[in-house]
């Protein structure tokens, strides 16, 4: 077993371990994402060609096809073609993204156990959990939407009622509570976010109660780790987009190259998620890890 998975980690250690794994196994991790996400990027690039975008530099004053669809219907059904590809792209994202995430989680699990792995076998393992992952992801999306709309309904309903009764001070106070509500929502998202790890490793489906247990007493720290990773990935992505944009322009080629390079950020975020998951598991299920260590050492 990788010794770095045997002890609870600080923020710095999680980041260091995340970048260490991402760097050492970059080729395989990038290939996994390319297998699942690459076709979506190419489909989107083909869709841009259909709508008339040039290979390198677009005229930003030209209206996009989805705007023209509503205002220039006289052009005929040709405009439905990009629309169809757009729908296909969204559906492929929904269907394939869980597979990509699960595959990376499985790779990190093999690394944790000190096992060798093959890309084909990892994909097969991920496919075995595809149904539970897709169903759990849909439920997670519905749950998060329900939480968001419930908070929004209560918050803006209360603010509207107070303003309607000329209670301006109370209405302003409610509006000032918006950041508090945002933080509460982020904390709830954090508490449920490790459901996919639970599903992939057959620890519970849909995994919400398992995720809630894992993040107990570590919610703020986990949210902070998420925010740190998000900022790092944002800076990396911004630098890549600026560089590629200056070299290749904002046409189809530039779009494809940028989106493929953005997979680097996806690797870092997913590996970081896996490292945090196993760290939380170690803190909550130390007996399971000790049994695994003893079995490995024997």
């Amino acid at each position: 077993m990788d010794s770095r998975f045997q002890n609870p980690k600080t923020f710095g250690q999680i980041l260091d371990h995340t970048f260490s794994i991402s760097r050492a196994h970059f080729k395989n991790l990038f290939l996994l994402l390319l297998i699942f996400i690459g076709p979506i990027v190419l489909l989107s690039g083909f869709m841009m060609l259909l709508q008339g975008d040039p290979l390198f530099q677009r005229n930003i004053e030209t209206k996009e096809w989805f705007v023209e669809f509503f205002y220039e219907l006289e052009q005929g059904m040709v405009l439905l073609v990009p629309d169809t590809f757009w729908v296909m792209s969204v559906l492929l994202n929904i269907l394939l993204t869980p597979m990509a995430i699960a595959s990376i989680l499985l790779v990190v699990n093999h690394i944790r156990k000190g096992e060798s792995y093959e890309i084909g076998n990892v994909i097969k393992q991920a496919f075995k959990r595809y149904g539970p992952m897709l169903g759990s992801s849909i439920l997670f999306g519905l749950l998060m939407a329900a939480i968001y709309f419930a908070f929004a309904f209560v918050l803006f309903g209360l603010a509207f009622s107070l303003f309607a009764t000329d209670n301006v001070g109370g209405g302003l106070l409610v509006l000032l509570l918006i950041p508090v509500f945002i933080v509460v929502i982020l904390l709830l998202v954090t508490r449920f976010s490790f459901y996919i790890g639970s599903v992939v490793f057959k620890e519970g489906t849909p995994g919400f109660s398992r995720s809630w247990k894992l993040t107990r007493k570590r919610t703020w720290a986990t949210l902070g780790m998420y925010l740190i990773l998000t900022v790092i990935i944002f800076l990396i992505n911004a630098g890549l987009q600026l560089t590629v944009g200056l070299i290749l322009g904002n046409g189809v080629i530039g779009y494809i190259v940028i989106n493929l390079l953005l997979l680097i950020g996806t690797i870092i975020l997913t590996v970081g998620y896996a490292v945090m998951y196993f760290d939380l598991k170690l803190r909550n299920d130390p007996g399971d890890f000790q049994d695994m260590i003893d079995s490995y050492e024997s």
Side-chain angles (χ1 to χ4, degrees):
M1 172 179 277
D2 188 332
S3 60
R4 290 173 295 181
F5 282 104
Q6 296 179 15
N7 299 297
K9 298 177 181 61
T10 63
F11 273 32
Q13 289 171 331
I14 289 176
L15 284 175
D16 180 68
H17 202 181
T18 296
F19 282 100
S20 175
I21 293 175
S22 300
R23 181 175 61 254
H25 298 265
F26 178 80
K27 179 181 177 181
N28 289 335
L29 296 173
F30 189 82
L31 179 59
L32 278 171
L33 286 181
L34 196 61
I35 290 172
F36 291 109
I37 308 300
I40 302 174
V41 175
L42 293 178
L43 178 62
S44 299
F46 181 63
M47 182 178 68
M48 292 173 65
L49 288 175
L50 286 180
Q51 72 184 36
D53 286 334
L55 289 177
F56 292 100
Q57 191 69 32
R58 285 186 293 171
N59 180 2
I60 59 175
E61 297 179 356
T62 301
K63 291 187 293 183
E64 301 289 350
W65 64 268
F66 51 83
V67 177
E68 295 175 352
F69 177 77
F70 291 105
Y71 293 101
E72 299 181 15
L73 291 177
E74 67 275 8
Q75 293 186 12
M77 296 299 293
V78 175
L79 289 173
L80 289 175
V81 175
D83 191 48
T84 301
F85 277 112
W86 181 83
V87 172
M88 290 173 59
S89 177
V90 172
L91 289 176
L92 285 174
N93 265 296
I94 295 173
L95 294 174
L96 296 180
T97 299
M99 286 294 301
I101 295 173
S103 297
I104 292 180
L105 291 180
L106 289 167
V107 167
V108 176
N109 191 39
H110 284 299
I111 296 169
R112 177 176 69 90
K113 294 179 178 180
E115 300 173 343
S116 60
Y117 62 90
E118 295 181 359
I119 296 299
N121 289 333
V122 168
I123 293 175
K124 289 179 182 178
Q125 289 177 323
F127 265 113
K128 290 179 180 179
R129 303 301 298 159
Y130 180 71
M133 281 189 302
L134 182 60
S136 298
S137 296
I138 292 173
L139 288 176
F140 178 76
L142 294 174
L143 177 62
M144 293 302 103
I147 291 174
Y148 172 80
F149 284 113
F151 274 96
F153 179 79
V154 171
L155 182 65
F156 290 104
L158 183 59
F160 179 79
S161 299
L162 290 172
F163 278 119
T165 57
D166 295 329
N167 189 347
V168 179
L172 291 175
L173 178 61
V174 172
L175 293 179
L176 291 176
L177 290 175
I178 290 179
V180 177
F181 279 90
I182 292 175
V183 171
V184 172
I185 290 174
L186 289 175
L187 289 172
L188 287 173
V189 172
T190 301
R191 292 301 301 269
F192 290 114
S193 64
F194 289 94
Y195 77 94
I196 198 165
S198 175
V199 174
V200 170
F201 299 116
K202 302 179 182 180
E203 296 176 357
T205 303
F208 300 144
S209 60
R210 174 65 173 161
S211 178
W212 190 271
K213 176 185 176 182
L214 286 175
T215 52
R216 182 172 57 91
K217 297 182 180 181
R218 295 289 299 173
T219 308
W220 284 101
T222 304
L223 175 58
M225 196 69 244
Y226 272 137
L227 294 177
I228 291 173
L229 284 173
T230 300
V231 170
I232 292 173
I233 293 168
F234 172 80
L235 294 175
I236 292 174
N237 289 348
L240 290 173
Q241 288 179 302
L242 179 61
T243 303
V244 174
L246 291 173
I247 296 174
L248 297 177
N250 60 355
V252 176
I253 299 298
Y255 170 85
I256 293 175
V257 172
I258 286 175
N259 278 273
L260 292 179
L261 290 177
L262 293 184
L263 295 181
I264 297 173
T266 304
I267 290 173
I268 296 171
L269 181 61
T270 310
V271 171
Y273 174 95
V275 172
M276 285 190 288
Y277 178 83
F278 290 119
D279 182 70
L280 292 171
K281 184 174 170 61
L282 177 63
R283 294 172 186 273
N284 286 274
D285 304 321
D288 292 346
F289 261 68
Q290 188 60 50
D291 291 342
M292 187 177 297
I293 294 170
D294 293 341
S295 174
Y296 175 77
E297 290 177 348
S298 63

